[in-house]
Amino acid sequence: MNTCIMVHSATGTTLKFANVIKGKLENAGHQVNLIELHTDVPVKTGSIRQPMNFQVLNIPDISNYDVILAGGPVWAFSISTVIYKCMKSIPDMKGKKFLPFVTMGFFLRGMGGTASLSQLARIARDLGAEVLPGAVVCKIFHNIDKMMESEAEKITSLLI
């Protein structure tokens, strides 16, 4: 399958997770294009509940992909403003499979991770995508590398 991974990463953690996912998918035979989103001004924090003045410079054309993965960090108990703005800028996802993923500092998924997955899933569903279960990687009190490997394997098994 032709797969696009769109990722926003402020500290490098979410980008690291995206690269683990990419490696697992490529090993399973997917062609994967990982796109790290960039903005016209630095965006290091924020909330989707408070509009911010920035533009995402490299929103991908997803028309040639079968599968779309979108991920970012959890900020203020919801998804990062950058991946949110990117997703809101995509015109259509009809016929695509979609899978959201997030990384977060808190140790419980319910402290923003689950809500962030729901936010991304809702946007994709409204755009016509088939939404698959997402993945949350928590930092505090977890072996983050092991968790990334495990979640990437789950993602890959959903897309085979």
Side-chain angles (χ1 to χ4, degrees), residues 6-9 14 37 43 45-50 52 54 69-88 98-104 111-123 135-136:
M6 303 180 293
V7 62
H8 168 241
S9 185
T14 313
L37 300 173
V43 179
T45 188
S47 168
I48 63 172
R49 294 175 286 286
Q50 296 175 336
M52 297 180 69
F54 69 91
L69 284 81
V74 173
W75 286 350
F77 299 98
S78 63
I79 193 62
S80 85
T81 55
V82 175
I83 194 69
Y84 180 81
K85 189 172 237 183
C86 175
M87 287 291 296
K88 293 297 263 181
F98 177 80
L99 193 146
F101 65 95
V102 297
T103 59
M104 58 186 288
M111 298 178 83
T114 305
S116 296
L117 294 181
S118 295
Q119 290 161 345
L120 292 172
R122 187 173 27 259
I123 296 167
V136 178

Side-chain angles (χ1 to χ4, degrees), residues 5-23:
I5 301 175
M6 303 180 293
V7 62
H8 168 241
S9 185
T11 64
T13 302
T14 313
L15 181 59
K16 180 179 178 180
F17 184 33
N19 276 302
V20 172
I21 296 167
K22 180 180 189 264

